[in-house]
Coordinates of all heavy atoms in Angstrom, one line a residue:
G23 N 11.8 -4.2 -13.7 CA 11.5 -5.4 -12.9 C 10.1 -5.4 -12.4 O 9.7 -6.1 -11.4
R24 N 9.1 -4.8 -13.1 CA 7.8 -4.7 -12.7 C 6.8 -5.7 -13.3 O 5.7 -5.8 -13.0 CB 7.2 -3.3 -12.9 CG 8.0 -2.2 -12.2 CD 8.0 -2.4 -10.7 NE 6.7 -2.3 -10.1 CZ 6.1 -1.2 -9.8 NH1 6.7 0.0 -10.1 NH2 4.9 -1.2 -9.2
L25 N 7.4 -6.5 -14.2 CA 6.6 -7.6 -14.8 C 6.6 -8.8 -13.9 O 7.2 -9.8 -14.1 CB 7.2 -8.0 -16.2 CG 6.9 -7.1 -17.4 CD1 7.6 -7.7 -18.6 CD2 5.4 -6.9 -17.6
S26 N 5.8 -8.7 -12.8 CA 5.8 -9.7 -11.8 C 4.5 -9.6 -11.0 O 3.9 -8.6 -10.9 CB 7.0 -9.5 -10.8 OG 7.0 -10.4 -9.7
L27 N 4.1 -10.8 -10.5 CA 3.0 -10.9 -9.6 C 3.4 -11.0 -8.1 O 2.6 -11.3 -7.3 CB 2.1 -12.1 -10.0 CG 1.4 -12.0 -11.4 CD1 0.6 -13.3 -11.6 CD2 0.6 -10.8 -11.5
N28 N 4.7 -10.8 -7.9 CA 5.3 -10.8 -6.6 C 4.9 -9.5 -5.9 O 5.4 -8.4 -6.3 CB 6.8 -11.0 -6.6 CG 7.4 -11.0 -5.2 OD1 6.8 -10.8 -4.2 ND2 8.7 -11.3 -5.2
P29 N 4.2 -9.5 -4.8 CA 3.8 -8.2 -4.1 C 5.0 -7.4 -3.7 O 4.9 -6.2 -3.7 CB 3.0 -8.7 -2.9 CG 2.5 -10.0 -3.3 CD 3.5 -10.6 -4.1
L30 N 6.1 -8.1 -3.4 CA 7.3 -7.3 -2.9 C 7.9 -6.4 -3.9 O 8.5 -5.4 -3.6 CB 8.4 -8.3 -2.4 CG 8.0 -9.2 -1.2 CD1 9.1 -10.2 -0.9 CD2 7.7 -8.3 0.0
V31 N 7.7 -6.8 -5.2 CA 8.1 -6.0 -6.3 C 7.4 -4.6 -6.4 O 8.0 -3.6 -6.8 CB 8.0 -6.8 -7.6 CG1 8.3 -5.9 -8.8 CG2 9.0 -8.0 -7.7
H32 N 6.1 -4.7 -6.0 CA 5.3 -3.5 -6.2 C 5.1 -2.7 -4.9 O 4.5 -1.6 -4.9 CB 3.9 -3.9 -6.7 CG 4.0 -4.7 -8.0 ND1 4.3 -4.1 -9.2 CD2 3.9 -6.0 -8.3 CE1 4.3 -5.0 -10.2 NE2 4.1 -6.2 -9.7
M33 N 5.5 -3.2 -3.8 CA 5.2 -2.6 -2.5 C 5.9 -1.2 -2.3 O 7.1 -1.1 -2.8 CB 5.6 -3.5 -1.3 CG 4.6 -4.6 -1.1 SD 5.2 -5.7 0.3 CE 5.1 -4.5 1.7
D34 N 5.3 -0.3 -1.7 CA 5.8 0.9 -1.3 C 5.7 1.0 0.2 O 4.6 0.8 0.8 CB 5.1 2.1 -1.9 CG 5.6 3.5 -1.5 OD1 6.5 4.0 -2.1 OD2 5.1 4.0 -0.5
P35 N 6.8 1.2 1.0 CA 6.7 1.2 2.5 C 5.6 2.1 3.0 O 4.9 1.8 4.0 CB 8.1 1.7 2.9 CG 9.0 1.3 1.8 CD 8.2 1.5 0.5
L36 N 5.5 3.3 2.4 CA 4.5 4.2 2.9 C 3.1 3.9 2.5 O 2.2 3.7 3.3 CB 4.8 5.7 2.5 CG 3.9 6.8 2.9 CD1 3.9 6.9 4.4 CD2 4.3 8.1 2.3
G37 N 2.9 3.7 1.1 CA 1.6 3.5 0.6 C 1.0 2.1 0.8 O -0.2 2.0 0.8
T38 N 1.9 1.1 0.9 CA 1.4 -0.3 1.0 C 1.4 -0.8 2.4 O 0.8 -1.8 2.7 CB 2.2 -1.2 0.1 OG1 2.5 -0.6 -1.1 CG2 1.6 -2.5 -0.1
V39 N 2.1 -0.1 3.3 CA 2.1 -0.6 4.7 C 1.6 0.5 5.7 O 0.6 0.3 6.4 CB 3.6 -1.0 5.1 CG1 3.7 -1.4 6.5 CG2 4.1 -2.0 4.1
A40 N 2.3 1.6 5.8 CA 2.1 2.6 6.8 C 0.7 3.3 6.7 O -0.1 3.3 7.6 CB 3.1 3.7 6.8
I41 N 0.3 3.8 5.5 CA -1.0 4.4 5.3 C -2.2 3.5 5.5 O -3.1 3.9 6.2 CB -1.0 5.1 3.9 CG1 0.0 6.3 3.9 CG2 -2.4 5.6 3.6 CD1 0.0 7.0 2.6
P42 N -2.1 2.3 4.9 CA -3.3 1.4 5.2 C -3.4 1.0 6.7 O -4.6 1.0 7.2 CB -2.9 0.1 4.4 CG -2.0 0.6 3.3 CD -1.2 1.7 3.9
L43 N -2.3 0.8 7.4 CA -2.4 0.5 8.8 C -3.0 1.7 9.6 O -3.9 1.5 10.4 CB -1.0 0.2 9.4 CG -0.5 -1.2 9.1 CD1 0.9 -1.4 9.6 CD2 -1.4 -2.3 9.7
L44 N -2.6 2.9 9.2 CA -3.1 4.1 9.9 C -4.6 4.2 9.6 O -5.4 4.6 10.5 CB -2.3 5.3 9.4 CG -2.7 6.7 10.0 CD1 -2.4 6.6 11.5 CD2 -1.9 7.8 9.3
A45 N -5.0 3.9 8.3 CA -6.4 4.0 8.0 C -7.3 3.1 8.8 O -8.4 3.4 9.3 CB -6.6 3.8 6.5
V46 N -6.8 1.9 9.0 CA -7.5 0.9 9.8 C -7.6 1.3 11.3 O -8.7 1.3 11.9 CB -6.9 -0.5 9.7 CG1 -7.5 -1.5 10.6 CG2 -7.0 -1.1 8.3
L47 N -6.5 1.7 11.8 CA -6.4 2.0 13.2 C -7.2 3.3 13.6 O -7.7 3.4 14.7 CB -5.0 2.2 13.7 CG -4.1 0.9 13.6 CD1 -2.6 1.2 13.9 CD2 -4.6 -0.1 14.6
T48 N -7.3 4.2 12.6 CA -8.1 5.4 12.9 C -9.5 5.4 12.4 O -10.3 6.3 12.6 CB -7.4 6.6 12.2 OG1 -7.3 6.4 10.8 CG2 -6.0 6.8 12.8
G49 N -9.9 4.3 11.8 CA -11.3 4.1 11.4 C -11.7 5.0 10.2 O -12.8 5.4 10.1
F50 N -10.7 5.2 9.3 CA -10.9 6.0 8.1 C -12.0 5.3 7.3 O -12.1 4.1 7.3 CB -9.6 6.1 7.3 CG -9.6 7.2 6.3 CD1 -9.5 8.5 6.7 CD2 -9.8 7.0 5.0 CE1 -9.5 9.6 5.8 CE2 -9.7 8.0 4.0 CZ -9.6 9.3 4.5
P51 N -12.9 6.1 6.6 CA -14.0 5.5 5.8 C -13.6 4.5 4.8 O -14.3 3.6 4.5 CB -14.6 6.7 5.1 CG -14.2 7.9 6.0 CD -12.9 7.6 6.5
F52 N -12.4 4.6 4.2 CA -11.9 3.6 3.3 C -10.5 3.1 3.7 O -9.8 3.8 4.3 CB -11.8 4.3 1.9 CG -13.0 4.8 1.3 CD1 -13.3 6.1 1.3 CD2 -14.0 3.9 0.8 CE1 -14.4 6.7 0.7 CE2 -15.2 4.4 0.3 CZ -15.4 5.8 0.2
L53 N -10.2 1.9 3.3 CA -8.8 1.5 3.4 C -8.1 2.1 2.2 O -8.2 1.6 1.1 CB -8.7 0.0 3.3 CG -7.3 -0.6 3.5 CD1 -6.7 -0.2 4.8 CD2 -7.3 -2.1 3.3
I54 N -7.3 3.1 2.5 CA -6.5 3.7 1.4 C -5.1 3.3 1.4 O -4.6 2.8 2.4 CB -6.6 5.3 1.6 CG1 -6.0 5.7 2.9 CG2 -8.0 5.8 1.4 CD1 -5.9 7.2 3.1
G55 N -4.5 3.3 0.2 CA -3.1 2.9 0.1 C -2.8 2.8 -1.4 O -3.7 2.9 -2.3
Y56 N -1.6 2.4 -1.7 CA -1.1 2.3 -3.1 C 0.2 1.5 -3.1 O 0.9 1.4 -2.1 CB -0.9 3.7 -3.7 CG 0.0 4.6 -2.9 CD1 1.4 4.6 -3.2 CD2 -0.5 5.5 -2.0 CE1 2.3 5.4 -2.5 CE2 0.4 6.3 -1.2 CZ 1.8 6.3 -1.5 OH 2.6 7.1 -0.8
A57 N 0.5 1.1 -4.3 CA 1.8 0.5 -4.6 C 2.6 1.5 -5.4 O 2.2 2.6 -5.8 CB 1.6 -0.8 -5.4
K58 N 3.9 1.1 -5.7 CA 4.7 2.0 -6.5 C 4.1 2.1 -7.9 O 3.8 1.0 -8.5 CB 6.1 1.4 -6.6 CG 6.9 1.5 -5.3 CD 8.3 1.0 -5.5 CE 8.4 -0.5 -5.9 NZ 9.8 -1.0 -5.9
P59 N 3.9 3.3 -8.4 CA 3.4 3.4 -9.8 C 4.3 2.8 -10.8 O 5.6 2.8 -10.6 CB 3.3 4.9 -10.0 CG 3.3 5.5 -8.6 CD 4.1 4.6 -7.8

């Protein structure tokens, strides 16, 4: 089901939500994160 441009298909709760938010709130040098491989 990955042949899609729908972000929900590719989102990973940790890599697409939690880690990027933490990076922003802590002032990390880069906005880091990822989707499901």
Side-chain angles (χ1 to χ4, degrees):
R24 302 301 296 278
L25 284 180
S26 174
L27 298 180
N28 179 356
L30 296 177
V31 170
H32 304 285
M33 283 180 65
D34 176 90
L36 181 63
T38 317
V39 180
I41 290 178
L43 283 175
L44 184 63
V46 172
L47 294 174
T48 58
F50 198 75
F52 300 105
L53 179 62
I54 57 174
Y56 54 87
K58 291 185 295 184

